[in-house]
Amino acid sequence: MMETSRRKFVGLSALLASSWATTPAWAFLEPGPAAAAPDAVYALVDHCLNTRYEALPPEVVAATRIQILDTVAVALPALDADGIRQLHAWSRETGGKGESLVLGTRTRLPAEKAARLNAAMAAALEFDDTYEPSLLHASCTIVPVALALAEQAAAGGRKVDGKELIAAVAAGTDAACRLSRAGSPGISPFIVGWDPTPMYGFLASSMVAARLMGLTREQAVSAVGLAYHQLSGNAQASVDGTHAKRLGSGFAAYGGILSARLARHGVLGSDRVLGGVKGLFRQYHGGKFDQEALLGGLGTRFLGVDIAPKPYPSCRGGHVAIDGALELVKAHDIRPDDVASVTIYSPPAEMMLLGAPIEKKRNPRSIVEAQFSNPWMVAAAIQDREVGLRHFSEAALKRADLRALAARMTTVEDKGLVRPDGGPGFVRLELRTRAGKTHEKLVRFAKGDPKNPMSPEEYRAKAFACTDAARMPRAQAGRLVARFMALEAEPDVASLVAALAIG
């Protein structure tokens, strides 16, 4: 039925187009045989619909378990954060059919509303993981969509088990990472001007939603086309440090589920999403894309294994500076009062996002601005010899010691620190003491990077830091961590989500 409807629609479009002979042909279709070639979106949709748990390599299963646990953990303390608090209140006020839970609560909302709120929560504290080659935060969109639709399925009498959740998240994450890496290869998305998280999140979340809602291949492609029509993701919110930065993943989660719902009811979306004359790679990347990055090893190589969990709740691009500062103060027993000045050398993208203008970065006015300030992050590392959730709070912004130390920071652009394989650049620190000594540190790969991984103990410590911040009893948190780490044994994901309720 869907294919018949599409043929009728295309035929009607061709008939109408024949009367527009004076309009340039490139405005409607690609010239020559390329117009008849299947769009690459079909390969990605097939991948997301058909990947089975049993086909996943063990390392992919292990990485996806951690990815899901990490995303849920970082969402839990964020319900009262600015931007999230208002979205929560508005979502409850407008209500709707109670299909899926707000994480950590007993509040039920329509699946797309719950996913929007949960995805925004997962991104809000800047503690969610990162696919470093393209600076994409895939998990904060993909995982909330999958959880919300697992609950929706349970409400309809169909259980989604842990194996199916792992497979859906692994495939959806892989698709998101491939899309983000394929566009404008070799150039930071923030230099191009896009925030890849909401941008590619719309497309990948629609694929995950299509799978968990049981859509056909044609319906799933239409869902991606409908999601493409909503796609957003400019980087201005990150540059300005506004609450909008927290909401992008939520918009993408909502849009992905809405698109799948509409496609299931027969609404058609474009099936030339990626390669069309106005498709993603031409419209958003000027025709610059890497086909190998998009489809190479599809089904055998899963990019989610390269996702880096964050040890600190701040922009991933600043973690190299935090690591460097911590290493310097511990190696040389440097105290805050010993510091005369610190110069932070960063590549252009990180300088734009984290280092300039310097007065704004030295004096963050909001938590989001602090999360995107290298001077603030380095000051926290030197002052307290750790960086955690408490350093990105209203109380922290009022701390005179942190502000005084941040005032001694200087930022300098250094093009030689660009990371050759893409992702967050390197950093070089020069710390000068009041006694006249200068200590230098070059950091290439932050903690959490596959080249500098976190340990299982560090994952657990982070999860408990988040559940403690959310005021979840430690015994409850311990049981939940154990269940997530054995996720494939869960017979019904909905019961696991229900067990997250606090109080």
Side-chain angles (χ1 to χ4, degrees):
M1 186 66 175
M2 173 65 74
E3 182 58 34
T4 301
S5 299
R6 184 183 294 280
R7 283 199 297 268
K8 289 179 179 178
F9 182 81
V10 171
L12 178 60
S13 298
L15 180 63
L16 291 172
S18 68
S19 66
W20 298 334
T22 57
T23 305
W26 55 260
F28 301 103
L29 47 85
E30 297 173 83
D39 193 270
V41 72
Y42 280 93
L44 293 179
V45 163
D46 289 343
H47 178 53
C48 285
L49 293 183
N50 300 326
T51 296
R52 295 291 168 255
Y53 172 85
E54 291 74 18
L56 296 175
E59 64 272 18
V60 175
V61 172
T64 307
R65 275 196 228 105
I66 291 170
Q67 177 189 355
I68 295 169
L69 169 61
D70 188 74
T71 304
V72 170
V74 301
L76 291 174
L79 192 57
D80 292 327
D82 284 335
I84 307 304
R85 181 178 64 256
Q86 295 90 331
L87 178 60
H88 183 205
W90 182 82
S91 299
R92 294 187 68 175
E93 177 185 336
T94 54
K97 185 178 180 181
E99 298 172 316
S100 308
L101 285 165
V102 177
L103 293 177
T105 78
R106 294 181 176 83
T107 300
R108 289 193 175 274
L109 297 169
E112 61 268 33
K113 284 189 173 182
R116 178 176 57 194
L117 183 54
N118 292 336
M121 288 163 61
L125 302 185
E126 284 298 322
F127 219 174
D128 55 309
D129 58 30
T130 310
Y131 179 63
E132 294 188 332
S134 57
L135 304 178
L136 168 76
H137 300 275
S139 304
C140 62
T141 300
I142 300 299
V143 173
V145 166
L147 292 175
L149 291 176
E151 291 186 274
Q152 182 198 48
R158 180 173 61 87
K159 292 182 179 180
V160 173
D161 63 20
K163 290 182 178 180
E164 171 64 2
L165 182 72
I166 289 171
V169 170
T173 299
D174 188 46
C177 293
R178 288 172 178 276
L179 285 164
S180 68
R181 192 159 191 181
S184 298
I187 305 174
S188 169
F190 289 98
I191 293 296
V192 177
W194 302 122
D195 181 345
T197 300
M199 186 175 182
Y200 304 110
F202 269 90
L203 306 183
S205 65
S206 69
M207 297 182 205
V208 173
R211 175 189 179 124
L212 291 170
M213 291 171 63
L215 269 59
T216 67
R217 184 190 198 221
E218 287 297 323
Q219 288 172 331
V221 170
S222 271
V224 182
L226 293 167
Y228 177 51
H229 203 58
Q230 305 170 69
L231 187 148
S232 64
N234 67 78
Q236 193 62 43
S238 297
V239 173
D240 291 342
T242 68
H243 295 145
K245 171 63 176 70
R246 297 176 163 181
L247 302 178
S249 57
F251 296 153
Y254 184 98
I257 294 177
L258 174 63
S259 298
R261 284 194 193 268
L262 292 174
R264 185 168 63 179
H265 285 83
V267 180
L268 292 176
S270 171
D271 65 351
R272 301 290 294 166
V273 169
L274 303 181
V277 71
K278 296 298 182 183
L280 178 76
F281 294 128
R282 284 179 172 80
Q283 190 71 14
Y284 287 80
H285 295 284
K288 300 181 179 70
F289 74 101
D290 185 338
Q291 184 79 2
E292 175 63 22
L294 183 67
L295 298 178
L298 187 68
T300 59
R301 187 172 74 246
F302 289 80
L303 302 189
V305 296
D306 295 326
I307 281 180
K310 286 184 180 179
Y312 317 116
S314 57
C315 176
R316 180 62 178 171
H319 284 209
V320 281
I322 294 173
D323 284 344
L326 290 173
E327 290 182 38
L328 284 176
V329 297
K330 291 175 182 177
H332 302 285
D333 194 26
I334 297 169
R335 302 295 168 179
D337 289 342
D338 298 333
V339 177
S341 66
V342 179
T343 303
I344 307 165
Y345 294 88
S346 303
E350 284 71 18
M351 184 66 185
M352 175 187 70
L353 197 61
L354 304 169
I358 187 60
E359 284 308 313
K360 177 181 178 180
K361 299 303 179 181
R362 286 172 174 165
N363 298 283
R365 297 166 298 173
S366 70
I367 294 170
V368 180
E369 287 187 3
Q371 291 167 331
F372 285 82
S373 164
N374 260 341
W376 186 264
M377 291 183 249
V378 171
I382 293 172
Q383 186 67 45
D384 294 338
R385 299 196 175 197
E386 65 173 16
V387 177
L389 289 167
R390 67 189 179 98
H391 294 103
F392 303 94
S393 64
E394 294 297 337
L397 292 176
K398 298 173 183 176
R399 283 180 55 178
D401 56 349
L402 290 179
R403 288 197 167 274
L405 196 49
R408 285 175 251 163
M409 307 287 158
T410 301
T411 57
V412 176
E413 182 178 306
D414 183 346
K415 292 182 174 65
L417 294 171
V418 172
R419 182 169 169 172
D421 60 344
F426 306 151
V427 77
R428 187 173 78 255
L429 299 180
E430 288 181 0
L431 188 155
R432 287 170 289 280
T433 69
R434 297 186 191 278
K437 292 184 178 180
T438 299
H439 302 284
E440 295 188 18
K441 185 67 182 181
L442 172 67
V443 180
R444 291 185 171 88
F445 307 110
K447 189 70 173 177
D449 186 284
K451 296 181 178 67
N452 184 17
M454 292 173 65
S455 68
E457 292 74 20
E458 288 170 325
Y459 291 132
R460 287 176 58 85
K462 176 184 174 180
F464 286 132
C466 290
T467 55
D468 287 350
R471 299 182 178 84
M472 177 182 283
R474 184 58 75 92
Q476 179 187 4
R479 291 191 298 270
L480 286 165
V481 168
R483 289 177 71 177
F484 276 103
M485 292 309 293
L487 184 56
E488 59 268 44
E490 286 290 327
D492 182 5
V493 170
S495 70
L496 179 57
V497 178
L500 291 166
I502 302 169

